[in-house]
Amino acid sequence: MKVYLSILAILIMVSSCQENNKEGAHLNNKILKEKTAKKKEEEAIKDQKSRKLLTKAHYEAFFPKQLDAYDLINIAESEIMGIGTAAYIKGKNYGISLTYYVTDGYAKGSAAIRNFDYSYQSNHKWPEGTEFISKERDGFKTVALLRHKYNNYKVSILYNKRFVLTVEGQEKPDELWEYLKQADLKLLDFY
């Protein structure tokens, strides 16, 4: 009987040690996962801090002073929204204008980038007199909203997976596309 009790005691001790090893391994895995998650979070924060938010001076350097016959009259910036806007008029006629927007999608999961991607993939049905086109031009994803009824057209591109550039006005989409490219897009590579 003593032999059986001794064997039983040994088995219980071995089983107990195995359970402790399993708990220790599980605890080590949990600690490792927490460290990995914390490291990823710190890297994301570091990456976010290394990126510069655009300021009004950056927008002033980016927007062309002239887009063919359109002259720059004003630049506005909303730091909170991450948007810079340039207003252009044709000659001295304020009735014929263009607006050039730069939306900075610097934040991870930015609404500007999500909305652009959603628009690019959308099959939304637009009202009569409005046409929506999404296609790739010169290596850029582009979307165009053409409101023929109102003689208003808008062309947007996604640049560097961070900036949504948009030109809106009364010119046809091909003209707006050319205006969009007149800005030195490479300036945005530094931010």
Short mmCIF file of all heavy atoms in Angstrom, two decimals, residues 44-65:
data_model
loop_
_atom_site.label_atom_id
_atom_site.label_comp_id
_atom_site.label_asym_id
_atom_site.label_seq_id
_atom_site.Cartn_x
_atom_site.Cartn_y
_atom_site.Cartn_z
N ALA A 44 4.48 53.58 -33.45
CA ALA A 44 3.45 54.37 -34.14
C ALA A 44 3.47 55.81 -33.66
O ALA A 44 3.37 56.74 -34.45
CB ALA A 44 2.07 53.76 -33.91
N ILE A 45 3.64 56.01 -32.35
CA ILE A 45 3.71 57.36 -31.80
C ILE A 45 4.96 58.07 -32.31
O ILE A 45 4.91 59.23 -32.70
CB ILE A 45 3.67 57.33 -30.26
CG1 ILE A 45 2.28 56.91 -29.78
CG2 ILE A 45 4.06 58.68 -29.66
CD1 ILE A 45 2.19 56.61 -28.30
N LYS A 46 6.08 57.36 -32.34
CA LYS A 46 7.33 57.93 -32.85
C LYS A 46 7.18 58.32 -34.31
O LYS A 46 7.60 59.40 -34.73
CB LYS A 46 8.47 56.92 -32.69
CG LYS A 46 9.82 57.45 -33.12
CD LYS A 46 10.90 56.39 -32.93
CE LYS A 46 12.23 56.87 -33.44
NZ LYS A 46 13.25 55.84 -33.33
N ASP A 47 6.56 57.44 -35.12
CA ASP A 47 6.32 57.73 -36.54
C ASP A 47 5.43 58.96 -36.69
O ASP A 47 5.67 59.81 -37.52
CB ASP A 47 5.69 56.52 -37.22
CG ASP A 47 5.46 56.75 -38.71
OD1 ASP A 47 6.41 57.21 -39.37
OD2 ASP A 47 4.35 56.48 -39.19
N GLN A 48 4.40 59.03 -35.86
CA GLN A 48 3.48 60.17 -35.90
C GLN A 48 4.21 61.47 -35.57
O GLN A 48 3.99 62.49 -36.20
CB GLN A 48 2.33 59.93 -34.91
CG GLN A 48 1.20 60.89 -35.02
CD GLN A 48 0.38 60.65 -36.26
OE1 GLN A 48 0.47 59.61 -36.90
NE2 GLN A 48 -0.40 61.61 -36.64
N LYS A 49 5.09 61.42 -34.57
CA LYS A 49 5.83 62.62 -34.18
C LYS A 49 6.85 63.02 -35.23
O LYS A 49 7.16 64.20 -35.37
CB LYS A 49 6.53 62.40 -32.83
CG LYS A 49 5.56 62.39 -31.67
CD LYS A 49 6.29 62.18 -30.36
CE LYS A 49 5.31 62.18 -29.20
NZ LYS A 49 5.97 61.94 -27.92
N SER A 50 7.38 62.04 -35.97
CA SER A 50 8.37 62.36 -36.99
C SER A 50 7.73 63.04 -38.20
O SER A 50 8.40 63.74 -38.94
CB SER A 50 9.11 61.10 -37.43
OG SER A 50 8.27 60.26 -38.18
N ARG A 51 6.45 62.85 -38.39
CA ARG A 51 5.76 63.50 -39.48
C ARG A 51 5.44 64.94 -39.07
O ARG A 51 5.07 65.20 -37.94
CB ARG A 51 4.45 62.79 -39.81
CG ARG A 51 4.66 61.44 -40.40
CD ARG A 51 3.34 60.84 -40.74
NE ARG A 51 3.53 59.60 -41.48
CZ ARG A 51 2.55 58.94 -42.03
NH1 ARG A 51 1.32 59.36 -41.92
NH2 ARG A 51 2.80 57.83 -42.68
N LYS A 52 5.58 65.81 -40.03
CA LYS A 52 5.29 67.21 -39.76
C LYS A 52 3.89 67.54 -40.24
O LYS A 52 3.48 67.12 -41.32
CB LYS A 52 6.28 68.10 -40.50
CG LYS A 52 7.71 67.94 -40.08
CD LYS A 52 8.59 68.82 -40.92
CE LYS A 52 10.05 68.56 -40.63
NZ LYS A 52 10.93 69.30 -41.52
N LEU A 53 3.18 68.30 -39.45
CA LEU A 53 1.90 68.82 -39.89
C LEU A 53 2.17 70.02 -40.78
O LEU A 53 3.10 70.80 -40.53
CB LEU A 53 1.04 69.24 -38.70
CG LEU A 53 0.67 68.14 -37.72
CD1 LEU A 53 -0.12 68.71 -36.56
CD2 LEU A 53 -0.13 67.06 -38.41
N LEU A 54 1.39 70.15 -41.82
CA LEU A 54 1.58 71.28 -42.71
C LEU A 54 1.09 72.57 -42.04
O LEU A 54 0.07 72.59 -41.37
CB LEU A 54 0.83 71.06 -44.02
CG LEU A 54 1.30 69.88 -44.86
CD1 LEU A 54 0.47 69.77 -46.14
CD2 LEU A 54 2.76 69.99 -45.20
N THR A 55 1.84 73.64 -42.26
CA THR A 55 1.48 74.95 -41.73
C THR A 55 1.08 75.85 -42.89
O THR A 55 1.22 75.48 -44.07
CB THR A 55 2.68 75.58 -41.00
OG1 THR A 55 3.72 75.81 -41.96
CG2 THR A 55 3.18 74.68 -39.88
N LYS A 56 0.65 77.05 -42.57
CA LYS A 56 0.28 77.99 -43.63
C LYS A 56 1.48 78.28 -44.53
O LYS A 56 1.34 78.39 -45.75
CB LYS A 56 -0.29 79.28 -43.05
CG LYS A 56 -0.85 80.19 -44.13
CD LYS A 56 -1.72 81.28 -43.59
CE LYS A 56 -2.31 82.05 -44.76
NZ LYS A 56 -3.23 83.06 -44.34
N ALA A 57 2.67 78.37 -43.96
CA ALA A 57 3.88 78.61 -44.76
C ALA A 57 4.12 77.47 -45.74
O ALA A 57 4.52 77.70 -46.89
CB ALA A 57 5.09 78.78 -43.84
N HIS A 58 3.86 76.24 -45.32
CA HIS A 58 4.00 75.09 -46.22
C HIS A 58 3.01 75.20 -47.38
O HIS A 58 3.36 74.93 -48.53
CB HIS A 58 3.79 73.77 -45.48
CG HIS A 58 4.83 73.48 -44.46
ND1 HIS A 58 4.50 73.17 -43.16
CD2 HIS A 58 6.17 73.45 -44.52
CE1 HIS A 58 5.60 72.95 -42.48
NE2 HIS A 58 6.63 73.12 -43.28
N TYR A 59 1.76 75.54 -47.03
CA TYR A 59 0.75 75.69 -48.08
C TYR A 59 1.12 76.82 -49.04
O TYR A 59 0.94 76.69 -50.25
CB TYR A 59 -0.64 75.94 -47.48
CG TYR A 59 -1.20 74.74 -46.75
CD1 TYR A 59 -1.49 74.79 -45.40
CD2 TYR A 59 -1.44 73.54 -47.43
CE1 TYR A 59 -2.01 73.69 -44.73
CE2 TYR A 59 -1.96 72.44 -46.77
CZ TYR A 59 -2.25 72.52 -45.43
OH TYR A 59 -2.76 71.43 -44.78
N GLU A 60 1.63 77.92 -48.51
CA GLU A 60 2.03 79.04 -49.37
C GLU A 60 3.15 78.63 -50.32
O GLU A 60 3.19 79.08 -51.46
CB GLU A 60 2.44 80.25 -48.52
CG GLU A 60 1.25 80.91 -47.86
CD GLU A 60 1.63 81.99 -46.84
OE1 GLU A 60 2.83 82.12 -46.49
OE2 GLU A 60 0.71 82.69 -46.39
N ALA A 61 4.05 77.79 -49.86
CA ALA A 61 5.14 77.31 -50.72
C ALA A 61 4.61 76.32 -51.76
O ALA A 61 5.13 76.24 -52.87
CB ALA A 61 6.23 76.65 -49.89
N PHE A 62 3.57 75.57 -51.41
CA PHE A 62 3.06 74.52 -52.29
C PHE A 62 2.18 75.07 -53.42
O PHE A 62 2.36 74.70 -54.58
CB PHE A 62 2.26 73.50 -51.48
CG PHE A 62 1.58 72.47 -52.34
CD1 PHE A 62 2.32 71.44 -52.90
CD2 PHE A 62 0.23 72.54 -52.60
CE1 PHE A 62 1.71 70.50 -53.72
CE2 PHE A 62 -0.39 71.60 -53.41
CZ PHE A 62 0.35 70.59 -53.97
N PHE A 63 1.22 75.92 -53.08
CA PHE A 63 0.25 76.36 -54.09
C PHE A 63 0.91 77.27 -55.13
O PHE A 63 1.59 78.24 -54.76
CB PHE A 63 -0.93 77.09 -53.45
CG PHE A 63 -1.84 76.21 -52.64
CD1 PHE A 63 -2.03 76.44 -51.30
CD2 PHE A 63 -2.50 75.14 -53.24
CE1 PHE A 63 -2.87 75.63 -50.55
CE2 PHE A 63 -3.34 74.32 -52.49
CZ PHE A 63 -3.52 74.57 -51.15
N PRO A 64 0.70 77.01 -56.43
CA PRO A 64 1.27 77.88 -57.48
C PRO A 64 0.64 79.28 -57.41
O PRO A 64 -0.52 79.43 -57.03
CB PRO A 64 0.86 77.19 -58.78
CG PRO A 64 0.44 75.81 -58.41
CD PRO A 64 0.00 75.86 -56.99
N LYS A 65 1.41 80.27 -57.78
CA LYS A 65 0.91 81.65 -57.78
C LYS A 65 -0.08 81.86 -58.92
O LYS A 65 -0.92 82.75 -58.87
CB LYS A 65 2.07 82.66 -57.92
CG LYS A 65 3.12 82.52 -56.83
CD LYS A 65 2.56 82.79 -55.46
CE LYS A 65 3.64 82.64 -54.40
NZ LYS A 65 3.19 81.92 -53.24
#
